[in-house]
Amino acid sequence: MNPVDALTEKQHEALELLAGPPKHIMLAGGSRSGKTFVLTWAVIARALKAPMSRHAILRFRFGHVKQSIVYDTFPGVLAKCYPGINPELSKSDWYAKFPNGSEIWFGGLDDKERTEKILGTEFSTIYLNECSQIQYSARNVAMTRLAQLVEDVEGNPLPLRMYYDENPPGKGHWTYRIFKSKVDPETRAPLPDPDNYAFMQINPRDNTRNLSADYIQTLESLPPRLRKRFLEGEFRDESPNALFSEEAMERWRNIDTLPDMLRIVVAVDPSGADDIDNIDNDEIGIVVCGLGIDGNGYVLEDLTCKAGPGVWGRVATDAFDRWQADCIVAETNFGGAMVGHVIRTARPRTPFRAVTASRGKIVRAEPISALVESGKVRMGGIFREMEDELCAFTTHGYMGEDSPNRADAMVWGMSALFPELTKAQDKPVVVPRVIDRRGPNSWMRI
């Protein structure tokens, strides 16, 4: 079988680019467009072409490269394009060794010890997978190891190559500045060798023969910001004043495993909670947040709903029981004591802490945005609607279309877990004592 027979028309076009003179080549575009497949194909082809050569496929997190490349794309490319070639996989050092002596190493840039081990040698190819999650400084360190000089089977030098792929992030990301604007990401000076940086867009519609029939429809149903990135493969216009960046949330996202939690709170942003009869108010933000034993905060669940107090009270207290939370935290500018009463009616004797905002939501969000940027606060899953609201927070105000109830609840929850950052901004208020007629006095400590 010819190794290129399994590639799509767009992937063939990408191969022509990969075989050209540029040293740095980026394939960017929507989700499941075939970028990773064709770049893995190219790395394998180079390994087979040059005996005793070394190559690296790197991602931000080692667990992700192991799951998505080592156990999925890599064996898939071998089976479809190189049947009969079975490299030996070392699961201690995580590299594949081919019969001709060539090696492909797999690594994550989040593991300092392992990264130093991998980057302690030289490579003739380095492929950075999902660059939107990788910091520019990490890319530069990896690039210093692109130095192995080897010859192919015909005795010709194998040109050094650095490959990149990603779902396009915002235009402030270093990949946009290098591959689209052709400027240095830090100094903004023009690149001295712009012809060495090639860019190609490849999208899901270019890979329909390898996708389920309804996958494109799924992408088309996404919110506009996500549809532009994951379907159309376009870089997002980005406000320089945004408090939260999609790249930071993606970089520190933790889906596979979460640490044990030292403390868990259910945060409620009950906009319009005093209007018991009107269920057409804004959504009630309900977000579960936890403080892990690693010292990081995690968003655990988004249960935001549009409902009256009888429903959202149960949603919040059910989450309290399910997560074995420590307390429910609620903002009480709307409804005052009624918020606490709703919680205690749904579940008597629920630990409840009420706070009233003394300053604007942007001021409250600023310290939390700093924690997200540094990885101190992380997404313990994928919460697209809440993340959209967070990305609409800017230093000039909230720029989203609807009220940011999900984001507000997340900010309240993380503020409760990291009180030293916000104690000077918002002061707890005492909710008046309310008697639960069904049993003993159920008001709790504030």
Side-chain angles (χ1 to χ4, degrees), residues 43-64:
V43 173
I44 295 174
R46 287 169 59 83
L48 296 175
K49 184 177 182 180
M52 307 303 293
S53 59
R54 285 187 301 273
H55 315 263
I57 299 179
L58 308 175
R59 194 166 171 172
F60 176 62
R61 294 194 182 279
F62 174 65
H64 292 168

Side-chain angles (χ1 to χ4, degrees), residues 366-385:
E366 284 178 344
I368 306 304
S369 72
L371 294 180
V372 171
E373 187 68 29
S374 66
K376 193 69 176 176
V377 165
R378 307 180 178 193
M379 300 297 149
I382 299 175
F383 311 103
R384 295 304 185 195
E385 292 173 297

Side-chain angles (χ1 to χ4, degrees), residues 28-31 166-168 199 201-204 226-235:
S31 175
E166 67 182 357
N167 299 129
F199 177 90
Q201 186 182 62
I202 179 170
N203 281 328
L226 298 179
R227 187 166 63 245
K228 183 175 182 179
R229 180 182 183 188
F230 292 106
L231 176 63
E232 305 300 336
E234 299 288 345
F235 287 89

Side-chain angles (χ1 to χ4, degrees), residues 244 269 285 287 304 365 385-391 393 398 403-412:
F244 295 87
D269 183 69
V287 175
T304 298
E385 292 173 297
M386 186 194 70
E387 292 168 29
D388 281 349
E389 292 181 2
L390 289 172
C391 288
F393 275 126
Y398 179 69
S403 181
N405 305 95
R406 301 168 189 270
D408 281 343
M410 178 269 200
V411 169
W412 286 120

Side-chain angles (χ1 to χ4, degrees), residues 430-445:
V430 176
V431 175
R433 180 170 176 164
V434 177
I435 302 299
D436 183 358
R437 299 298 181 183
R438 298 175 299 174
N441 180 355
S442 64
W443 76 285
M444 302 302 295
R445 297 184 303 274

Side-chain angles (χ1 to χ4, degrees), residues 229-284:
R229 180 182 183 188
F230 292 106
L231 176 63
E232 305 300 336
E234 299 288 345
F235 287 89
R236 184 185 71 253
D237 291 326
E238 194 170 66
S239 169
N241 300 308
L243 292 183
F244 295 87
S245 73
E246 184 177 312
E247 288 72 47
M249 288 187 281
E250 194 66 46
R251 181 166 64 248
W252 300 109
R253 191 185 306 278
N254 192 328
I255 298 177
D256 301 328
T257 57
L258 291 172
D260 292 335
M261 296 294 151
L262 295 173
R263 189 163 181 251
I264 295 177
V265 299
V266 179
V268 180
D269 183 69
S271 177
D274 59 333
D275 190 352
I276 298 177
D277 298 322
N278 186 0
I279 64 171
D280 293 324
N281 282 314
D282 291 333
E283 292 180 317
I284 309 300

Side-chain angles (χ1 to χ4, degrees), residues 184-425:
D184 183 279
E186 295 178 339
T187 67
R188 306 297 194 273
L191 294 177
D193 55 345
D195 292 340
N196 250 335
Y197 293 83
F199 177 90
M200 178 178 171
Q201 186 182 62
I202 179 170
N203 281 328
R205 291 191 179 99
D206 301 318
N207 193 36
T208 52
R209 82 179 194 187
N210 295 314
L211 301 177
S212 61
D214 61 349
Y215 185 70
I216 299 297
Q217 294 179 349
T218 299
L219 296 181
E220 290 174 340
S221 67
L222 292 172
R225 182 178 67 89
L226 298 179
R227 187 166 63 245
K228 183 175 182 179
R229 180 182 183 188
F230 292 106
L231 176 63
E232 305 300 336
E234 299 288 345
F235 287 89
R236 184 185 71 253
D237 291 326
E238 194 170 66
S239 169
N241 300 308
L243 292 183
F244 295 87
S245 73
E246 184 177 312
E247 288 72 47
M249 288 187 281
E250 194 66 46
R251 181 166 64 248
W252 300 109
R253 191 185 306 278
N254 192 328
I255 298 177
D256 301 328
T257 57
L258 291 172
D260 292 335
M261 296 294 151
L262 295 173
R263 189 163 181 251
I264 295 177
V265 299
V266 179
V268 180
D269 183 69
S271 177
D274 59 333
D275 190 352
I276 298 177
D277 298 322
N278 186 0
I279 64 171
D280 293 324
N281 282 314
D282 291 333
E283 292 180 317
I284 309 300
I286 304 174
V287 175
V288 183
C289 301
L291 178 63
I293 59 174
D294 57 0
N296 298 318
Y298 291 88
V299 176
L300 301 175
E301 192 172 14
D302 180 4
L303 296 163
T304 298
C305 61
K306 179 176 287 191
V311 174
W312 68 254
R314 288 195 300 273
V315 171
T317 54
D318 285 350
F320 176 88
D321 288 329
R322 185 171 63 258
W323 286 96
Q324 299 181 4
D326 295 276
C327 73
I328 291 180
V329 177
E331 192 270 331
T332 58
N333 280 13
F334 294 94
M338 194 277 286
V339 177
H341 179 63
V342 169
I343 297 297
R344 291 187 296 268
T345 298
R347 185 185 184 280
R349 295 175 292 281
T350 301
F352 174 70
R353 182 175 184 265
V355 290
T356 295
S358 59
R359 302 183 70 180
K361 63 180 63 184
I362 298 303
V363 176
R364 299 197 305 270
E366 284 178 344
I368 306 304
S369 72
L371 294 180
V372 171
E373 187 68 29
S374 66
K376 193 69 176 176
V377 165
R378 307 180 178 193
M379 300 297 149
I382 299 175
F383 311 103
R384 295 304 185 195
E385 292 173 297
M386 186 194 70
E387 292 168 29
D388 281 349
E389 292 181 2
L390 289 172
C391 288
F393 275 126
T394 75
T395 55
H396 298 307
Y398 179 69
M399 301 303 178
E401 296 181 358
D402 301 316
S403 181
N405 305 95
R406 301 168 189 270
D408 281 343
M410 178 269 200
V411 169
W412 286 120
M414 290 303 170
S415 297
L417 295 176
F418 296 93
E420 293 300 315
L421 291 175
T422 55
K423 66 179 181 179
Q425 298 177 17

Side-chain angles (χ1 to χ4, degrees), residues 5-252:
D5 289 344
L7 302 181
T8 66
E9 181 179 347
K10 195 69 173 181
Q11 289 172 329
H12 278 282
E13 184 181 337
L15 280 185
E16 295 182 12
L17 179 63
L18 297 174
K23 183 177 181 179
H24 301 268
I25 302 172
M26 162 69 79
L27 300 185
S31 175
R32 298 196 65 194
S33 54
K35 306 181 297 296
T36 304
F37 190 96
V38 70
L39 287 173
T40 302
W41 184 100
V43 173
I44 295 174
R46 287 169 59 83
L48 296 175
K49 184 177 182 180
M52 307 303 293
S53 59
R54 285 187 301 273
H55 315 263
I57 299 179
L58 308 175
R59 194 166 171 172
F60 176 62
R61 294 194 182 279
F62 174 65
H64 292 168
V65 77
K66 183 170 67 173
Q67 178 182 357
S68 65
I69 303 292
V70 178
Y71 290 143
D72 187 5
T73 305
F74 183 69
V77 172
L78 288 173
K80 289 184 177 181
C81 304
Y82 301 97
I85 297 178
N86 299 302
E88 180 182 349
L89 179 64
S90 168
K91 293 187 178 180
S92 57
D93 290 324
W94 292 101
Y95 68 89
K97 188 166 186 177
F98 290 81
N100 68 350
S102 293
E103 299 171 349
I104 297 179
W105 288 69
F106 307 95
L109 299 175
D110 61 331
D111 186 333
K112 182 178 179 181
E113 182 177 344
R114 175 164 177 75
T115 300
E116 290 178 350
K117 181 176 182 179
I118 292 176
L119 298 183
T121 186
E122 296 178 342
F123 300 93
S124 57
T125 312
I126 296 178
Y127 166 26
L128 299 183
N129 180 235
E130 294 294 347
C131 288
S132 63
Q133 303 173 17
I134 296 175
Q135 293 182 333
Y136 182 56
S137 59
R139 172 262 185 185
N140 289 342
V141 171
M143 190 171 63
T144 65
R145 311 316 300 160
L146 189 66
Q148 187 193 27
L149 298 179
V150 293
E151 294 181 347
D152 62 23
V153 292
E154 297 177 353
N156 300 313
L158 185 69
L160 301 177
R161 290 288 182 267
M162 196 152 182
Y163 298 147
Y164 310 74
D165 78 8
E166 67 182 357
N167 299 129
K171 292 181 179 179
H173 198 262
W174 63 267
T175 53
Y176 181 85
R177 291 172 178 165
I178 286 180
F179 288 99
K180 298 292 285 183
S181 299
K182 300 296 180 77
V183 298
D184 183 279
E186 295 178 339
T187 67
R188 306 297 194 273
L191 294 177
D193 55 345
D195 292 340
N196 250 335
Y197 293 83
F199 177 90
M200 178 178 171
Q201 186 182 62
I202 179 170
N203 281 328
R205 291 191 179 99
D206 301 318
N207 193 36
T208 52
R209 82 179 194 187
N210 295 314
L211 301 177
S212 61
D214 61 349
Y215 185 70
I216 299 297
Q217 294 179 349
T218 299
L219 296 181
E220 290 174 340
S221 67
L222 292 172
R225 182 178 67 89
L226 298 179
R227 187 166 63 245
K228 183 175 182 179
R229 180 182 183 188
F230 292 106
L231 176 63
E232 305 300 336
E234 299 288 345
F235 287 89
R236 184 185 71 253
D237 291 326
E238 194 170 66
S239 169
N241 300 308
L243 292 183
F244 295 87
S245 73
E246 184 177 312
E247 288 72 47
M249 288 187 281
E250 194 66 46
R251 181 166 64 248
W252 300 109

